[in-house]
Amino acid sequence: MLGRAIREQPRIFAVAVTGSVLFGLLVIASAYVVGGVVGEVVVPAVERGEVGGGVLALAAAALFGISVLRVVGIFGRRLGAGYMQYRLQAAYRRRVTRRYLDLPLAWHHRNSTGTLLSNANSDVEAAWYPIAPLPFAVGTLVMLVGAVASLFVTDWALALVGLAVFPALFALNVVYSRRMAPRQARAQRLRAEVSGIAHESFDGALVVKTMGREAQETARFAARAGDLRDALISVGRLRGVFDPMLETLPSLGTLAVLVVGAIRLRQGAITVTELVSVAFLFTVLAFPVRAIGWVLAELPRSVAGWDRVRRVLDTTGEMPYGEVAFDPATRTPATLGFDDVHFGYEPAEAHLPGAEVLGEVTFTVPAGKTVALVGPTGAGKSTIASLAVRLVDPGSGRVTLDGVDVRELTAASLAATVALVAQVPFVFDDTVRANITLDRDGIGDDEVWAALRLAEADGFVAALPDGLDTMVGERGTSLSGGQRQRLTLARALAGRPRLLVLDDATSAVDPRVEAAILAGLRTPGDGGASASILVVAYRRATIALADEVIYVEQGRVVARGTHSELLATVPGYVDLVTAYEQAEQEREQKRTYDEVAPVPSGLEMEVDR
């Protein structure tokens, strides 16, 4: 993993390591300069009782020069390491997010939003934490080699002390790293789980509040947050045990040098200058050697984060696009075809068999025609809509646009040809204008208003405080359900698609408004409504507007024909449409009663209470 980082940022790493090596060599040099100043300047001055000004100035200049060069080394090391770390984190956040967008919806269905957020944020950060101390650690290794070499040049006995202390530091760091690894891995996993629970609770705030589950959700979050707290405390305890030991070893080395050095000095094997230099060297080595410990300490957490990031980056199953592109100038309606299409969703667990939800589906939406898709809940209507816009690919068979398999089209050509308005409208936390244009070229305010008129949304948008510049809130919280549906319909229409797929996209809209919208879609003009339409429909008024009705049950096309033909020949279709119609009439009657019925004064007080 560290090798990957170095290969991706070689120049910045070289700058950081150069600064670190410069700092390390100057640490060794400073030790011998200090030893020289003590042995050659301070001790003679004490013996003579006077200090020579020239010698003192020379010693000060030497120490100052080394200090300045060390500052240069520190600056290069820290600037390079920080720049390298943040560049890697930014690059891998982009890669993970890009991978999310490349992977099919089936993969997203198997992974929670909290986990995906954690992968792109805390896991990426954790993966590259060791980059900050890495150049320092590399420079420290060079410094240690230089220090051991200088110790052997000075005195073999003092060198043996260094050989005893440095391997002990490495061994302690290795033990520390191995014990820390499982703790960091568990903490990283719990971070994702806490993020997932929080996101789920906030995203489902409406359900939580209306069902009175605040206390239970709080308890669920608190339990997992407590587990994360305990895991992090476990990490802190281990650090609390090992950090003092890592700090103490260099100090013990310094003490050993003074003891052995005093003996060697009395034997005449070394001078005062050499003894002071070696003792000072052990003192200043204590901090840089910790850099190696910092890298080793971060590696367990880093590896845990990297494993989670790599799981996303190495995931296969993306939907590659082809190279066929339609002429962008073509504005005529497209022909949609399903040819013996079979499809089954992948199971949540790989060892479980998948279940086929569509089989032998064959039908055509002719150019410029409206086809209604009708069937009971779970019949596969939304799956057919997803296949039509290539959110998923069929297991076998073909889905075609103007006779071309959608898998052979470029991404840009497919997006320009087809638009989907889904069951659940999604609105960004932005202005009305931004939600409709999505920064697409060629969509100005005139096109926006034309799309809004076609979606019967121009009236409520014009009444908003700032019109097109009104912020709609996260997921469109300032709008009603019907307004959100009409806004997302206008978004699809603004791109002037040649095929429009409506997956129960007007369910929250008043039936009269829905009829006006669908009638407008069938009439060319004012926004380019000249498009083929595949609509998942329930209401009789909606179905009656279709040129053809496709009736599906249990993933099969059971019947097809006009609305009147199916009413006369298909009992299941009659039962379904009648049931929906009765439910709609009951809702209308209740709405009318709520609007006109007077409330007795006594009941009014009770309702208020």
Side-chain angles (χ1 to χ4, degrees):
M1 189 189 69
L2 296 179
R4 176 189 290 264
I6 295 169
R7 288 192 301 272
E8 291 193 13
Q9 304 289 335
R11 294 182 180 179
I12 301 174
F13 182 72
V15 170
V17 169
T18 299
S20 181
V21 169
L22 176 63
F23 171 80
L25 295 177
L26 289 171
V27 166
I28 298 173
S30 66
Y32 284 91
V33 168
V34 169
V37 168
V38 172
E40 305 299 330
V41 177
V42 176
V43 173
V46 171
E47 292 176 350
R48 292 195 306 268
E50 60 180 3
V51 180
V55 175
L56 188 60
L58 183 62
L63 291 172
F64 179 77
I66 287 178
S67 298
V68 170
L69 291 176
R70 285 176 64 180
V71 168
V72 172
I74 292 172
F75 180 78
R77 181 194 78 219
R78 290 198 171 185
L79 181 64
Y83 197 60
M84 182 178 177
Q85 180 184 28
Y86 296 134
R87 278 176 65 96
L88 285 167
Q89 288 176 348
Y92 274 84
R93 281 196 183 97
R94 289 192 292 268
R95 292 183 191 182
V96 168
T97 304
R98 180 70 256 178
R99 193 66 184 143
Y100 287 163
L101 298 177
D102 288 338
L103 290 168
L105 285 180
W107 184 85
H108 287 271
H109 293 160
R110 298 193 302 269
N111 294 271
S112 70
T113 303
T115 298
L116 302 187
L117 290 172
S118 179
N119 291 155
N121 187 27
S122 63
D123 289 336
V124 169
E125 285 188 358
W128 303 118
Y129 269 143
I131 298 303
L134 179 62
F136 196 7
V138 173
T140 299
L141 289 175
V142 174
M143 180 179 64
L144 290 178
V145 172
V148 171
S150 64
L151 287 176
F152 273 106
V153 170
T154 302
D155 183 66
W156 64 267
L158 296 179
L160 291 178
V161 175
L163 289 177
V165 172
F166 298 148
L169 277 173
F170 280 112
L172 190 59
N173 273 309
V174 168
V175 172
Y176 172 53
S177 179
R178 289 182 177 177
R179 296 200 173 203
M180 182 64 77
R183 290 173 169 83
Q184 289 284 22
R186 182 170 184 268
Q188 202 65 18
R189 176 176 55 80
L190 287 170
R191 282 187 177 93
E193 292 181 11
V194 168
S195 176
I197 293 174
H199 180 273
E200 196 172 58
S201 296
F202 302 153
D203 211 32
L206 181 62
V207 175
V208 171
K209 285 190 167 295
T210 55
M211 301 299 291
R213 302 293 296 174
E214 294 94 333
Q216 289 80 359
E217 283 299 303
T218 300
R220 186 164 74 106
F221 180 81
R224 189 55 71 208
D227 292 340
L228 177 59
R229 174 204 61 208
D230 295 341
L232 294 175
I233 288 175
S234 177
V235 169
R237 283 175 177 167
L238 191 63
R239 281 184 172 169
V241 170
F242 276 86
D243 277 356
M245 298 169 66
L246 292 170
E247 292 285 353
T248 301
L249 266 179
S251 300
L252 293 176
T254 303
L255 181 61
V257 163
L258 290 175
V259 172
V260 174
I263 296 173
R264 298 292 287 167
L265 180 65
R266 189 162 48 246
Q267 294 173 349
I270 60 173
T271 64
V272 172
T273 297
E274 292 170 332
L275 176 58
V276 172
S277 297
V278 173
F280 186 78
L281 181 61
F282 269 80
T283 301
V284 295
L285 278 177
F287 175 72
V289 167
R290 289 292 292 117
I292 300 173
W294 295 333
V295 173
L296 295 176
E298 291 294 347
L299 281 180
R301 180 183 177 189
S302 175
V303 170
W306 174 245
D307 285 343
R308 294 168 63 84
V309 170
R310 189 172 56 185
R311 183 183 66 86
V312 175
L313 298 179
D314 292 346
T315 296
T316 58
E318 69 273 16
M319 298 165 59
Y321 290 92
E323 298 180 357
V324 177
F326 293 131
D327 183 356
T330 302
R331 303 301 340 152
T332 56
T335 298
L336 172 68
F338 274 64
D339 182 12
D340 193 24
V341 170
H342 294 249
F343 178 81
Y345 286 104
E346 295 181 16
E349 298 182 31
H351 65 277
L352 296 176
E356 185 176 83
V357 296
L358 293 180
E360 302 176 358
V361 174
T362 301
F363 68 89
T364 301
V365 179
K369 300 297 183 179
T370 298
V371 173
L373 202 59
V374 181
T377 301
K381 303 182 298 296
S382 293
T383 303
I384 291 175
S386 297
L387 285 162
V389 297
R390 211 197 164 201
L391 290 178
V392 292
D393 281 335
S396 63
R398 295 199 318 154
V399 178
T400 62
L401 287 171
D402 288 344
V404 179
D405 193 317
V406 293
R407 289 169 288 198
E408 298 176 5
L409 292 173
T410 63
S413 189
L414 182 64
T417 304
V418 184
L420 169 71
V421 185
Q423 287 177 315
V424 180
F426 183 86
V427 180
F428 294 94
D429 185 9
D430 210 328
T431 64
V432 171
R433 179 188 290 105
N435 267 286
I436 294 175
T437 64
L438 295 182
D439 290 330
R440 290 173 288 181
D441 295 332
I443 303 179
D445 282 2
D446 290 341
E447 289 75 17
V448 169
W449 282 113
L452 288 170
R453 282 192 296 273
L454 201 55
E456 295 288 324
D458 55 320
F460 84 79
V461 171
L464 292 174
D466 298 313
L468 293 179
D469 294 315
T470 302
M471 297 292 294
V472 298
E474 185 177 3
R475 293 181 177 268
T477 52
S478 65
L479 305 176
S480 70
Q483 289 173 335
R484 287 196 296 270
Q485 281 193 334
R486 282 178 278 171
L487 199 63
T488 54
L489 177 59
R491 174 197 297 160
L493 294 171
R496 301 187 64 187
R498 298 170 54 214
L499 171 67
L500 186 63
V501 180
L502 306 177
D503 184 7
D504 194 22
T506 53
S507 59
V509 176
D510 183 276
R512 293 180 293 273
V513 176
E514 181 190 39
I517 292 173
L518 292 174
L521 293 178
R522 288 171 55 87
T523 306
D526 191 23
S530 180
S532 308
I533 301 173
L534 175 64
V535 53
V536 176
Y538 297 94
R539 293 168 174 166
R540 183 188 289 261
T542 306
I543 300 169
L545 290 172
D547 298 293
E548 186 180 26
V549 178
I550 306 293
Y551 181 58
V552 294
E553 285 184 355
Q554 298 180 353
R556 271 31 178 203
V557 175
V558 176
R560 56 190 302 171
T562 64
H563 174 56
S564 57
E565 289 172 348
L566 295 186
L567 283 177
T569 58
V570 183
Y573 179 78
V574 175
D575 293 341
L576 184 67
V577 173
T578 303
Y580 282 134
E581 190 173 34
Q582 290 175 347
E584 189 64 39
Q585 289 175 350
E586 290 175 0
R587 283 194 293 269
E588 281 294 303
Q589 291 171 357
K590 183 179 184 301
R591 185 183 298 113
T592 303
Y593 177 80
D594 290 342
E595 290 174 355
V596 302
V599 180
S601 58
L603 287 177
E604 187 175 13
M605 294 175 61
E606 184 66 27
V607 169
D608 285 342
R609 283 199 294 272

